[in-house]
């Protein structure tokens, strides 16, 4: 499967936007999967922006697929890339314990128009250029406004993830974006409540998949001091690897095939601090890993953190994870496990 993800990145990319002076620099991952991702938060006194250097994800031709293992609880396929990808995001979000996103016509319009812009111009980007075919707005907020979507609250958040792939499966595109850690931060943002999806196919067979997210009012979803984890406790069939080089910026510089990312997610208005974060095979030693935390990695939002094993995980193996730190200054610990396919 050849897949590219570009958030604001030619492959996978997220947006970095200020919500307030306290939350300046918060990342609402937006994806570019030849994929794109992006996100932002805003208040009445600050403007959400898209970072042109946002991460992107590109899956090279011939790379092993991250297609998910079949599950009896998975959503029924429709054959429509946008709908299947949207439904898969909701399926995974609900696995974490998050509420389903509500699909909204105006946001659908913004996402669909952006997929068509990329398809017509043979590009993967979060930023449109005035005068080019299919132009509807330079940045996501512009495109949402053009589509008729209005934020009604003084504080709000938005995000975008994008992918370009030769595989028309919306499920596969969605799962690739979830695997790409910088994009995952946007997809699993607990405070997002509204979303829309669109897709377009080029004459060369490339499928452009876009999902836009919004939170109209930053009402706490989890609450102060609380967080969710992924993979979830007891999850089966987790992929063993992640091609780090396919995401730009590269979350694990100097390595390509690494283990599947493990992440924690709090409300975007929260702050996560990591004291310790480890993973080991059941009965084994702690694995060498790359920690992603906002204090040392600006691509990681302050409300999340991730751990990426430096080596590909073993097949059919159970892994035990331990996390200790603070969320909004409250000391927290969590121990959980998952099993690879």
């Amino acid at each position: 499967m050849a897949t590219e993800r570009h958030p604001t990145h030619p492959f996978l990319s997220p947006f970095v936007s200020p919500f307030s002076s306290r939350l300046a620099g918060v990342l609402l991952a937006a994806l570019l999967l030849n994929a794109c991702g992006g996100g932002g938060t805003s208040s009445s006194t600050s403007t959400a922006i898209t970072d042109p250097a946002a991460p992107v994800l590109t899956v090279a031709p011939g790379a092993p697929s991250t297609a998910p293992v079949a599950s009896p609880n998975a959503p029924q396929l429709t054959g429509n890339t946008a709908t299947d990808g949207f439904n898969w995001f909701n399926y995974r979000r609900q696995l974490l314990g998050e509420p389903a996103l509500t699909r909204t016509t105006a946001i659908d319009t913004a996402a669909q128009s952006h997929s068509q812009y990329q398809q017509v111009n043979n590009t993967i980007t979060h930023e449109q250029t005035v005068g080019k075919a299919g132009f509807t707005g330079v940045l996501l907020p512009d495109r949402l406004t053009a589509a008729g979507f209005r934020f009604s609250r003084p504080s709000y958040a938005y995000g975008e993830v994008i992918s370009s792939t030769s595989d028309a499966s919306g499920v596969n595109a969605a799962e690739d974006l979830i695997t790409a850690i910088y994009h995952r931060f946007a997809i699993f943002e607990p405070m997002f409540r509204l979303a829309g999806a669109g897709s377009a196919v080029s004459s060369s067979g490339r499928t452009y998949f876009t999902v836009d997210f919004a939170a109209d009012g930053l009402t706490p979803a989890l609450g102060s001091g609380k967080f969710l984890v992924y993979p979830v406790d007891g999850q089966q069939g987790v992929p063993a690897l992640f091609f780090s080089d396919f995401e730009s910026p590269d979350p694990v510089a100097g390595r390509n095939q690494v283990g599947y990312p493990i992440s924690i997610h709090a409300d975007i208005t929260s702050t996560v601090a990591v004291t310790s974060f480890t993973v080991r095979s059941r009965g084994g030693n702690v694995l060498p890993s790359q920690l992603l935390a906002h204090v040392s990695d600006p691509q990681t939002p302050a409300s999340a953190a991730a751990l990426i094993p430096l080596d590909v995980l073993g097949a059919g193996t159970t892994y035990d994870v331990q996390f200790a730190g603070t969320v909004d200054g409250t000391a927290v610990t969590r121990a959980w496990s998952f099993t690879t396919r």
Side-chain angles (χ1 to χ4, degrees), residues 13-39:
S13 69
F15 290 128
V16 181
S17 308
F19 156 56
S20 67
S21 58
R22 186 177 82 82
L23 294 178
V26 162
L27 170 69
L28 289 190
L31 305 182
L32 248 205
L33 187 50
N34 197 12
C36 259

Side-chain angles (χ1 to χ4, degrees), residues 238 319-320:
V238 175
Y319 288 89
D320 295 318

Side-chain angles (χ1 to χ4, degrees), residues 3-286:
T3 304
E4 296 179 349
R5 311 259 185 251
H6 202 153
T8 298
H9 192 290
F11 312 137
L12 276 180
S13 69
F15 290 128
V16 181
S17 308
F19 156 56
S20 67
S21 58
R22 186 177 82 82
L23 294 178
V26 162
L27 170 69
L28 289 190
L31 305 182
L32 248 205
L33 187 50
N34 197 12
C36 259
T41 58
S42 182
S43 72
S44 58
T45 57
S46 63
T47 302
I49 59 171
T50 300
D51 180 1
V56 295
L57 173 67
T58 300
V59 179
S65 172
T66 58
V69 173
S71 167
N73 299 317
Q76 184 174 358
L77 297 180
T78 67
N80 179 283
T81 302
T83 296
D84 288 343
F86 182 93
N87 290 344
W88 194 259
F89 281 166
N90 265 342
Y91 169 62
R92 289 303 195 199
R93 282 174 61 93
Q94 290 178 298
L95 191 65
L96 272 78
E98 296 179 333
L101 298 162
T102 298
R103 194 167 183 181
T104 306
T105 300
I107 305 180
D108 261 357
T109 299
Q112 180 62 34
S113 67
H114 193 55
S115 285
Q116 291 172 334
Y117 173 88
Q118 294 174 100
Q119 172 235 336
V120 169
N121 293 287
N122 191 31
T123 186
I124 186 73
T125 179
H126 287 293
E127 185 173 351
Q128 295 185 11
T129 301
V130 176
K132 285 196 171 184
F135 175 83
T136 55
V138 176
L139 302 178
L140 176 57
D142 305 318
R143 300 192 291 272
L144 288 171
T145 298
F149 181 82
R150 300 289 188 277
F151 288 103
S152 63
R153 308 292 181 83
S155 63
Y156 56 86
Y158 58 79
E160 179 173 83
V161 298
I162 308 168
S163 71
S164 169
T165 175
S166 59
D167 182 352
S169 167
V171 169
N172 291 351
E175 192 71 7
D176 283 344
L177 287 167
I178 290 170
T179 298
I181 187 59
Y182 290 137
H183 295 79
R184 185 191 299 176
F185 292 140
I187 297 165
F188 289 161
E189 167 51 49
M191 294 178 77
F192 282 147
R193 287 290 183 274
L194 308 174
S199 63
V201 183
S202 70
S203 57
S204 63
R206 302 293 297 179
T207 297
Y208 292 87
F209 171 57
T210 303
V211 177
D212 294 334
F213 307 89
D216 191 10
L218 298 184
T219 302
L222 303 180
S224 179
K226 298 181 180 179
F227 65 98
L228 302 172
V229 304
Y230 193 81
V232 302
D233 188 25
Q235 187 168 335
Q236 303 288 314
V238 175
L241 80 166
F242 165 46
F243 287 92
S244 175
D245 290 354
F246 293 169
E247 189 167 21
S248 175
D250 185 347
V252 187
R255 288 180 182 252
N256 182 20
Q257 296 189 41
V258 295
Y260 192 76
I262 304 160
S263 54
I264 69 169
H265 307 262
D267 288 339
I268 192 172
T269 50
S270 292
T271 299
V272 171
V274 179
T275 300
S276 65
F277 200 172
T278 62
V279 60
R280 68 180 77 208
S281 60
R282 180 66 54 85
N285 296 323
V286 170

